[in-house]
Amino acid sequence: MKLYQVIVLFFLNLVGVITINAQTSHGEKFLDSASNTIDSNHFIAQQYLDSIPKPLSESIKGHIACYYELKVLINSKNEEDAKQYQNSILTLKYAELENNYDLAGWASLELFYSAYIRKKDSSAYHFLDKAHDYYTLADNRQGLAEVTQMEALDELNKGNFINSNNILLDNLEHYKSFKDDGYYQLYGLFLITSNYLELDNLTEAHVYFNNLKNLKADTSITPALYNSHLATLYGDFAEFHFNDKAMDSTLFYLNKSKRVKDAMTDEDKRNYFNLYADYFDYEKNYQSKNNYIDSLRFLEDNVLRKTMDASLLIGDVLLQSENELNVEKRKKELTKTWAISLSAVLLIGLGFYLIKNKKTKQIIRNFKKNKDEFAYLKDNHEKLKAKVKGIEGYLSEIKIEIKNIAAISELKEQQNRVKELYKKIQLNSSTLFSSGEDHLNLINDLNVDFFNQLSTKHPKLNSSEKIICYYLFMDFTNKEISSFTNSSVRAVESKRYRISSKLNLKQKNMKLSDYLKESFS
């Protein structure tokens, strides 16, 4: 190789180093711009993130956890639960690698909330413990305050409303002390109000709800965040008054909910449509009731579609990342070859080779470290594609079976067929229940008359209690009911006791199952 060729190769490699440094600078600028615009316009923030050069390990080295944190926030605004969970995992992974304890604590809480609320997974408590540990390492008082709020949320969901309020009221002044972030006070008041509604203490519920509404002027709370909590509580107040048959108050809070409908989560919308349908059913306005039932069906179809699309997209993104790593590896190997050639002629070429070689070895080590992980994700992606293709057919089969069962006039035969159907669903279709459908949506199609009669005769029963009644009516045992509802036998027995109390069966000295069969045969 001639001397002038060696010099040209050297300068080409030097330009490559400068380009990488320029990418790093631009990458961090795009990351900062995304962070500054995410509250005002998350669509623009997404465009900034998409503009960051790949690979991320070069363009925003040391800040990859922050990149995935912003992705999580955007997913949350778009209600993309599957993407939000996946990006939370990546945030935690890179925060641990970068020793960013604040962000590791934040990601752990996100994963706790996702696993606890959306998936009902016992692994949620593992993430809550990690959040506490990381926030302790970071000496993050606000993060530790949010951990206490999650503990209160856990007590609320377990039905321990007094215990939940004890945690919150003991810490309420602490939440208020964070003047730069009113979210902690907002969420604390939100949970306290919810607890008092569950305890049938409307007076105290209004006291803390009014305190929450006074936070509207707090500039540290975004309007979207404020309205989302307001929407949930409006729905809770409407349901409270509906259960008391206070229809004017019910309609009042439903109209309030309508004003903040844009801030509702999918769960809030689901409750909103259901409550409006129940209200118009009570008013015997069946046309309006059917309109809201149609809206509910459209919502569920949209949720299912978003979940499937997000799952497929996540797999495609992960495969794309694997391809980018392979390309990067080939580029580094070529650079290494050039550096070796230069080192044979010039001492400066040798020095350049050593620098590039060190960087190349780091890329290779990272690639080898993640090779097994990407292989797993690729295999999982292919399985997911096949699984999604089969879901639609599987749902069609289930719906046909439901129609066949509903047409059976013999009660005993229908009971046996129902039990077999649920065993089939439980063993072969866990995907069905994770896609947004629940037991009531399935079994409602089996015996529409039963649920209509039960709702009319006993309107104070909630959805889960109606499900228990249906199972008992169909001769299910407590053990079978606990299996199908993913709860303990003790929990089923407790619900049966509460239902009997609501129906005043103790005074009549009647068993709940006997009463249901006699009243709704």
Side-chain angles (χ1 to χ4, degrees), residues 4-70:
Y4 78 89
Q5 292 175 316
V6 173
I7 295 173
V8 169
L9 286 174
F10 167 72
F11 279 105
L12 285 174
N13 280 276
L14 183 60
V15 169
V17 173
I18 294 172
T19 302
I20 289 174
N21 290 334
Q23 287 181 349
T24 301
S25 177
H26 280 107
E28 292 180 9
K29 287 180 180 178
F30 285 132
L31 189 64
D32 289 340
S33 297
S35 179
N36 292 332
T37 57
I38 192 166
D39 288 333
S40 58
N41 193 323
H42 64 281
F43 296 107
I44 293 178
Q46 179 66 63
Q47 292 176 8
Y48 280 125
L49 292 182
D50 292 341
S51 300
I52 296 175
K54 304 294 188 298
L56 300 178
S57 58
E58 293 287 354
S59 57
I60 53 172
K61 184 177 181 180
H63 304 284
I64 300 178
C66 295
Y67 169 86
Y68 284 110
E69 174 201 15
L70 295 175

Side-chain angles (χ1 to χ4, degrees), residues 122-291:
S122 60
S123 67
Y125 297 103
H126 166 71
F127 290 119
L128 189 60
D129 291 339
K130 293 189 76 167
H132 180 274
D133 293 343
Y134 282 124
Y135 279 139
T136 301
L137 286 172
D139 193 24
N140 188 324
R141 293 173 60 248
Q142 291 182 336
L144 290 172
E146 192 165 1
V147 170
T148 65
Q149 291 182 334
M150 292 302 100
E151 292 169 350
L153 176 65
D154 182 36
E155 292 294 326
L156 186 157
N157 286 326
K158 289 177 179 177
N160 302 326
F161 308 118
I162 295 177
N163 290 345
S164 178
N165 261 358
N166 286 340
I167 295 172
L168 295 164
L169 292 172
D170 287 345
N171 287 279
L172 187 57
E173 291 303 316
H174 182 52
Y175 302 151
K176 291 179 181 178
S177 68
F178 302 129
K179 301 298 183 183
D180 59 331
D181 193 345
Y183 165 76
Y184 299 96
Q185 184 182 358
L186 172 75
Y187 194 62
L189 293 170
F190 170 81
L191 292 178
I192 293 171
T193 304
S194 300
N195 279 322
Y196 276 124
L197 283 176
E198 293 290 348
L199 292 168
D200 290 334
N201 191 336
L202 187 60
T203 301
E204 288 298 317
H206 273 299
V207 169
Y208 288 95
F209 185 44
N210 288 334
N211 289 340
L212 183 148
K213 288 191 287 186
N214 289 336
L215 295 176
K216 185 176 183 180
D218 191 328
T219 57
S220 67
I221 303 173
T222 63
L225 185 64
Y226 173 82
N227 287 333
S228 67
H229 288 80
L230 205 63
T232 302
L233 287 178
Y234 278 147
D236 291 344
F237 274 102
E239 185 174 1
F240 179 91
H241 288 295
F242 180 81
N243 290 335
D244 280 354
K245 293 295 173 285
M247 292 302 148
D248 289 341
S249 296
T250 300
L251 188 58
F252 172 80
Y253 281 106
L254 284 174
N255 287 331
K256 288 280 189 180
S257 296
K258 189 179 297 183
R259 297 176 188 174
V260 289
K261 188 177 177 183
D262 291 341
M264 289 182 182
T265 64
D266 287 334
E267 184 62 25
D268 289 332
K269 291 176 183 176
R270 187 178 290 114
N271 294 335
Y272 173 79
F273 291 138
N274 270 319
L275 193 54
Y276 249 126
D278 289 342
Y279 170 80
F280 283 118
D281 181 66
Y282 183 87
E283 297 293 328
K284 302 189 185 308
N285 185 342
Y286 300 116
Q287 179 61 48
S288 297
K289 171 188 173 182
N290 290 334
N291 290 339

Side-chain angles (χ1 to χ4, degrees), residues 301-313:
D301 289 343
N302 190 48
V303 170
L304 177 60
R305 178 186 56 78
K306 286 197 298 185
T307 301
M308 291 182 174
D309 289 346
S311 298
L312 290 174
L313 182 58

